[in-house]
Amino acid sequence: MNIHFNKPLLLPRSLDHIREAFTLEHTSGNGPFTAKCHAFLKQRYGFSSCLLTQSCTAALEMAALLADIAPGDEVIVPSFTFVSTANAFALRNAHIRFVDSTAWHPNMDCSLIEELITPRTKAVVCVHYAGMACDMQALQDICRRHNLCLIEDAAQSIDTTYQGRALGTFGNLSAFSFHESKNIICGEGGCLAINDPLLHARADILWEKGTNRSAFLRGEVDKYSWVDVGSSFLPSEITAAFLYGQLESLENIQARRVKNWNRYHAALSPLAEKGYLEVPRIPEGSSNNAHMYYVVCRSGDERTRLMAHLKSHGIQSVFHYQALHASSYYASRHGDRKLPQAERYTECLLRLPLHYHLTDEEVDEVVERLHGFYA
Ligand SMILES: *Cc1c(COP(=O)(O)O)cnc(C)c1O
């Protein structure tokens, strides 16, 4: 058997839409398929505005510009995350203040945030690890009390709700990813939700290379010109057409992932009860979008042996982030404040295969090999 960690899903509708983009002779960005994706995402999730981007990384870079992050500003970011969460703000020469994860979930420990706030703090970025919600109530309280911009790195959390409301609607700005490793994909792609109406107009401009081309296309001005900084953040219509085909099948894609996730969880929870490993705990108030199934081993050495064991049976499992506070780029800037949980997840967390094409038999095979390892 050969069980892949991930397999991209190609839907016939996506190919039809791409063909149509050529028929319409509109393959560059900001065309009809981009508009369809925007309408779908706003309608389903309730964002006040959203813009497709070339990646979640690009969406985070737009967020840093919109939040007016300037040299010397401080931004609070979890350590156990992808580099882009921090890099988007480091690019603006902000000082990154890293927060540890909780002992029971890789999400940031919100009780550690306030001690990091100084007069220079501008924003808090939260990451919903494995698509599961951070404590949004605590985060919104903190950000309101200290007048900070709340930014959600919602890369993994499409279609998750917190207390019944979609993730991505809590932050002033929220970034999603449609990278091939996520639930909904278009190769490389992302989206920025802009929930602060005061930022809508500037977001349109940054997105279109610092010009008011969007206002021109809406007929609001009779020519477009350079009005602000910006970049080419928008994806092509080919990308948007691919993405729209996925969005049309979102319910079906999600149902398959949730079924696989639940099958893992039912079969692996007994190992957790015996204390051999940890399985994911869904935070209070959060739904589960089944982005990822992971286990946390008792040591780094045990994880290495478990990975090798799975590999010897043709099963591809992968570890995840290297805690950013200890990275070669940031360690000297971070100082010696310890973040033990982020380091534990770096060493001990292992992700199991989870994708649309995964069958019940394959899930059962992975489960059996895990049980065999601990027997
Ligand atoms: C995948 C991911 C990103 C980056 O997404 P891209 O679309 O590849 O730029 C950023 N943050 C988190 C938490 C992610 O999981």
Side-chain angles (χ1 to χ4, degrees):
M1 218 182 249
N2 212 337
I3 305 180
H4 294 251
F5 174 69
N6 187 37
K7 265 191 188 178
L9 169 65
L10 175 61
L11 293 160
R13 292 292 289 268
S14 283
L15 292 178
D16 294 343
H17 294 330
I18 290 170
R19 214 168 283 116
E20 194 187 333
F22 278 89
T23 308
L24 294 171
E25 298 183 3
H26 189 152
T27 57
S28 62
N30 201 0
F33 283 104
T34 299
K36 278 182 206 258
C37 291
H38 290 169
F40 180 98
L41 292 165
K42 281 199 289 190
Q43 197 269 328
R44 185 171 174 100
Y45 300 120
F47 309 137
S48 86
S49 170
C50 73
L51 294 169
L52 294 191
T53 54
Q54 306 246 12
S55 63
C56 179
T57 302
L60 289 164
E61 288 174 17
M62 278 187 74
L65 287 166
L66 287 166
D68 262 327
I69 303 298
D73 286 345
E74 294 177 11
V75 179
I76 296 174
V77 174
S79 175
F80 191 70
T81 183
F82 190 60
V83 281
S84 297
T85 317
N87 225 346
F89 302 91
L91 257 176
R92 309 254 71 80
N93 290 308
H95 181 55
I96 311 297
R97 303 280 282 155
F98 286 111
V99 189
D100 205 1
S101 301
T102 74
W104 59 275
H105 196 286
N107 279 349
M108 72 204 292
D109 185 341
C110 295
S111 71
L112 302 175
I113 293 175
E114 281 192 287
E115 62 200 56
L116 297 177
I117 294 174
T118 74
R120 302 236 48 178
T121 308
K122 246 334 202 342
V124 177
V125 189
C126 67
V127 175
H128 308 294
Y129 188 80
M132 296 174 192
C134 293
D135 184 344
M136 297 317 289
Q137 190 132 34
L139 281 165
Q140 284 195 314
D141 282 353
I142 293 167
C143 289
R144 249 182 235 126
R145 221 165 331 109
H146 297 273
N147 194 25
L148 304 175
C149 182
L150 177 59
I151 297 169
E152 290 177 72
D153 179 341
Q156 304 176 9
S157 48
I158 189 90
D159 218 50
T160 304
T161 57
Y162 175 80
Q163 295 179 348
R165 206 172 115 194
L167 291 187
T169 62
F170 292 88
N172 303 70
L173 298 156
S174 304
F176 290 88
S177 176
F178 304 118
H179 181 267
E180 114 179 311
S181 57
K182 306 301 200 276
N183 293 29
I184 301 295
I185 65 168
C186 59
E188 299 273 1
C191 151
L192 180 69
I194 306 118
N195 298 312
D196 179 350
L198 294 175
L199 298 176
H200 289 178
R202 184 157 194 242
D204 279 351
I205 289 165
L206 299 182
W207 189 64
E208 276 276 22
K209 300 107 178 158
T211 73
N212 54 352
R213 181 165 180 272
S214 292
F216 169 72
L217 293 178
R218 288 193 297 264
E220 295 164 13
V221 290
D222 58 9
K223 55 181 177 299
Y224 73 87
S225 60
W226 188 14
V227 295
D228 199 340
V229 296
S231 190
S232 184
F233 288 113
L234 73 176
S236 77
E237 278 286 289
I238 300 171
T239 296
F242 187 116
L243 180 63
Y244 191 61
Q246 292 252 324
L247 292 174
E248 287 174 305
S249 293
L250 186 135
E251 305 254 352
N252 173 33
I253 294 169
Q254 286 301 98
R256 286 278 279 269
R257 293 188 78 102
V258 169
K259 180 171 82 76
N260 285 333
W261 197 100
N262 289 339
R263 197 172 181 88
Y264 272 129
H265 201 59
L268 294 177
S269 291
L271 289 179
E273 279 152 28
K274 288 185 189 138
Y276 293 134
L277 46 66
E278 292 166 36
V279 291
R281 269 173 63 186
I282 301 169
E284 207 182 306
S286 179
S287 69
N288 175 23
N289 75 343
H291 171 59
M292 186 196 302
Y293 201 86
Y294 66 86
V295 297
V296 184
C297 297
R298 290 172 294 193
S299 70
D301 175 59
E302 190 164 273
R303 181 182 71 179
T304 305
R305 286 186 288 110
L306 176 57
M307 269 182 92
H309 172 76
L310 294 174
K311 190 170 173 221
S312 74
H313 292 286
I315 299 163
Q316 197 185 12
S317 63
V318 297
F319 51 78
H320 215 183
Y321 305 127
Q322 306 298 298
L324 296 179
H325 73 280
S327 62
S328 58
Y329 183 63
Y330 225 80
S332 62
R333 296 168 171 87
H334 172 76
D336 46 15
R337 199 163 41 85
K338 294 271 178 287
L339 305 181
Q341 296 302 335
E343 287 174 22
R344 187 171 72 90
Y345 294 119
T346 297
E347 276 187 37
C348 303
L349 186 144
L350 189 67
R351 298 185 291 158
L352 303 179
L354 183 66
H355 53 80
Y356 182 85
H357 299 285
L358 196 68
T359 64
D360 285 354
E361 292 68 35
E362 288 174 320
V363 173
D364 294 348
E365 170 75 10
V366 177
V367 162
E368 204 180 306
R369 297 306 176 190
L370 268 144
H371 278 269
F373 180 79
Y374 287 103

